[in-house]
Amino acid sequence: MSNKDQGTGRGQGQSRGPGQGQGQSQGQGQGQLHGLKVVEFAHVVAGPMAGSMLADQGADVVHVEPPGAGDAARAMGPKKDGQPLWFKVAGRNKRSVTLDLHQESGRELAQRLVAWADVVIVTLRNGRLRSWGLDWESVHRVNPKAVLLQISGFGATSSRADEPGFGKVGEARSGVVHLTGFPDTPPVHTGFSHGDAVTGLMGAYAVLAALHRRGNDPDFDGEWIDLALFEPLFRLVEWQVIVHDQLGTVPERTGNQLAVAPAAVINTYRSRDGEWITVTSATLRSVRNVALLLGHDEADFATTEQQFAGRAELDADLRTWVAERTADECLEAFTRAEVVASRVFSAADIAADPVYAEREDIVTVDDADLGPVRMQSVIPHFRQRPGAVWRTGPSLGQDNALVYREWLGLGEEELTDLEKHGVV
């Protein structure tokens, strides 16, 4: 068994599970989704993120990749000693198998994976899904009880169903990018795969909703979850459609303020030692606390109307006040005054923060290539039966024998023949 199979996490929920070598997960008996079988014909971020959320809670997730190159995500991001780091997290807790879907025998084997699974995740375009037998009709025919999560750029029912899509385009279409940034600057994307990640998270939520119905409805006849990359972020900005519909206005960029609910105090401020601090106060009492800290007369900021009228003055004075002090001095004073504030955290701040440590939000996992590596723990925390990080992203095809022989029941001769013809 490789070091990856032996990978352990030190932290919450990281004890080893039984039955390694019989194909059991390290997190066996811990996760909420133990026993759930998932196969993902999905690469890069959105679909695999949905699978990752399920895998973290104990589901057996089989990540299907083409022989040779594998998932493009394997080569993405920074490297250490030639080893890409991103996939160590993105592929964690999953099984990797290789499969050439361009070959007929590969597509036949894909159907066996579909028949095995409770959940099928796909991110291919509609036309390719149909030709490879991974569209809703084909999946439902092979496995009538399966839940299909289909993620695409524009949704399976739109006129652009066969066009490629990426998360940043989804962000742009959602309205979020239009609202992000300052009024006199260009719209801004966040510095990570925001649209993809949120789509994956909503996809996992949708899968669990369908599985709940499957567990309670004797007439359950499968489910097709059709999710476009722009829709999750679009859904999360709750007010933009109703504001435009009812007021005829278009919310615009307002910097660090909320576009339709400006607070009297909400901004980032730079301290004397160059640290950035976020201060946010939206209730009457919290804004009065800021005013008192700055030496203002509390009576001048007693009402919502007074606070709104004086917000520019408070913002300017707070910017000067913070600039005259170190970040530590500011934060100590904010705490005493009951003003809600925080450093703008970098990765280094996160790694050193005591609250992250107390929450056990970062765990150490053994990796075959890099040794001990640190990454996010399983979030959210289930206290009664927590999930676990039991392996980093596996090597390409590492689990071919386990999945194809033990889980699907292929014979040794059949698997050897598939390997000889480059199908797996």
Side-chain angles (χ1 to χ4, degrees):
M1 196 181 305
S2 73
N3 286 341
K4 285 184 182 176
D5 284 325
Q6 295 283 356
T8 60
R10 290 177 280 281
Q12 176 265 336
Q14 304 306 316
S15 61
R16 295 185 181 182
Q20 298 308 113
Q22 280 73 49
Q24 300 299 316
S25 298
Q26 285 267 16
Q28 184 82 27
Q30 295 185 51
Q32 303 291 317
L33 301 178
H34 168 60
L36 183 68
K37 297 177 291 186
V38 182
V39 59
E40 52 182 40
F41 302 92
H43 292 171
V44 188
V45 182
M49 175 63 78
S52 185
M53 295 293 102
L54 304 176
D56 276 1
Q57 294 299 338
D60 282 315
V61 179
V62 176
H63 185 58
V64 180
E65 308 179 62
D71 186 343
R74 288 184 174 275
M76 293 170 62
K79 299 179 180 180
K80 180 184 178 184
D81 299 333
Q83 294 294 326
L85 300 178
W86 187 349
F87 192 77
K88 298 294 186 183
V89 181
R92 76 184 194 184
N93 289 349
K94 296 182 182 179
R95 305 292 184 178
S96 170
V97 300
T98 53
L99 188 60
D100 185 358
L101 293 168
H102 292 89
Q103 298 191 48
E104 178 62 30
S105 53
R107 295 190 290 275
E108 291 173 358
L109 190 50
Q111 298 300 299
R112 294 175 72 165
L113 285 167
V114 168
W116 166 84
D118 301 302
V119 178
V120 181
I121 301 174
V122 296
T123 55
L124 302 164
R125 283 182 260 175
N126 261 1
R128 181 57 58 85
L129 290 174
R130 288 190 294 270
S131 65
W132 285 355
L134 294 172
D135 59 306
W136 163 246
E137 289 76 12
S138 300
V139 167
H140 189 56
R141 183 172 56 252
V142 171
N143 186 346
K145 296 293 185 182
V147 173
L148 174 67
L149 170 60
Q150 180 178 346
I151 296 174
S152 59
F154 303 96
T157 59
S158 79
S159 60
R160 303 180 66 180
D162 285 312
E163 295 184 27
F166 290 98
K168 290 301 177 188
V169 171
E171 294 168 23
R173 288 180 58 84
S174 72
V176 166
V177 179
H178 177 80
L179 295 169
T180 305
F182 288 83
D184 56 348
T185 62
V188 178
H189 288 276
T190 50
F192 74 110
S193 302
H194 193 179
D196 283 309
V198 172
T199 299
L201 185 60
M202 185 167 279
Y205 149 76
V207 164
L208 297 180
L211 292 173
H212 173 77
R213 183 166 64 88
R214 189 182 73 168
N216 290 276
D217 181 0
D219 298 322
F220 182 80
D221 189 33
E223 187 54 79
W224 178 19
I225 302 163
D226 174 16
L227 191 57
L229 283 168
F230 63 88
E231 290 173 329
L233 280 174
F234 162 74
R235 170 63 181 87
L236 294 184
V237 188
E238 294 182 317
W239 38 260
Q240 66 174 333
V241 172
I242 196 169
V243 166
H244 180 257
D245 174 63
Q246 294 297 302
L247 301 180
T249 60
V250 176
E252 299 291 345
R253 291 185 291 286
T254 55
N256 291 317
Q257 290 284 336
L258 299 175
V260 297
V265 178
I266 176 171
N267 216 333
T268 57
Y269 306 91
R270 196 166 195 178
S271 66
R272 190 179 70 200
D273 52 349
E275 297 277 355
W276 284 99
I277 297 173
T278 285
V279 182
T280 176
S281 296
T283 65
L284 285 171
R285 179 183 175 186
S286 65
V287 175
R288 286 199 299 268
N289 290 344
V290 173
L292 288 170
L293 179 66
L294 297 176
H296 290 287
D297 187 341
E298 184 178 7
D300 293 339
F301 295 91
T303 68
T304 301
E305 291 75 20
Q306 287 175 307
Q307 291 182 359
F308 188 79
R311 62 185 179 140
E313 180 184 5
L314 285 178
D315 183 71
D317 289 353
L318 187 56
R319 189 166 302 282
T320 300
W321 187 91
V322 171
E324 294 172 346
R325 293 162 175 80
T326 66
D328 285 342
E329 290 170 342
C330 291
L331 292 168
E332 289 170 6
F334 288 144
T335 299
R336 288 194 301 269
E338 296 187 358
V339 172
V340 178
S342 173
R343 273 188 177 85
V344 176
F345 274 31
S346 68
D349 295 320
I350 291 171
D353 182 64
V355 175
Y356 273 92
E358 290 157 3
R359 294 286 296 165
E360 298 183 315
D361 283 335
I362 299 176
V363 293
T364 301
V365 187
D366 292 332
D367 178 76
D369 301 310
L370 299 172
V373 297
R374 301 181 78 202
M375 62 180 65
Q376 296 92 330
S377 65
V378 174
I379 297 172
H381 298 285
F382 287 83
R383 297 303 180 189
Q384 293 289 81
R385 187 171 174 171
V389 183
W390 59 273
R391 84 179 333 178
T392 59
S395 59
L396 181 62
Q398 180 174 329
D399 301 291
N400 279 0
L402 169 69
V403 173
Y404 291 140
R405 277 209 303 258
E406 296 189 32
W407 290 3
L408 296 192
L410 271 66
E412 185 69 38
E413 184 177 337
E414 185 179 6
L415 184 56
T416 300
D417 186 62
L418 291 169
E419 290 171 344
K420 184 175 70 174
H421 290 89
V423 177
V424 301

